[in-house]
Amino acid sequence: MLHAAEAGRRWAADGVAAFAAHPGIVATSLGQMRSSSSSRSPPSAISLHSLHNVGVWLWWHVVAWPVAERVESGAASVVFAALSPALSGTRFGYIRHCQLAQPAPTALNGSAAAFLWRESERIIRLAASGQH
């Protein structure tokens, strides 16, 4: 949200709009590369790593999966932000459930948004120059 707010402020005169879209909890296969967190049975070996994986497995299969949205539903807010005529004239915003929503007040902190933007630019310059 901070990046969207700052982009909207910086590029308003150019007619560029920036939105942060919240897809919700979406049932995707993105985590399947980590077999222990995506398998249908909980990990069994006892180690700190496996305890973490048990926690991830429990969170996903007990808490998240029952309320997770289909991929199409998760993508809907992003598509809405990109294409909706209802947002015409809006420079920036927070989209949730295909609606312009009110974010937390901290998400609209102008000085935090400007700081995050500057730090992001600095990190990108460092990465581009090969300095880490």
Side-chain angles (χ1 to χ4, degrees), residues 34 36-38 43 50-62 64:
R34 298 184 64 189
S36 60
S37 65
S38 64
S50 66
L51 287 176
H52 167 76
N53 288 340
V54 168
V56 169
W57 187 92
L58 285 171
W59 181 87
W60 180 249
H61 291 284
V62 176

Side-chain angles (χ1 to χ4, degrees), residues 2 10 16 28 31 45 48 55 58 62 69 75 94 109 113 117 119 123 126-128 130:
L2 290 171
R10 286 174 178 250
V16 174
T28 69
L48 188 57
L58 285 171
V62 176
E69 297 185 47
Y94 172 58
N109 182 315
W117 191 277
E119 281 300 296
I123 292 167
L126 284 175

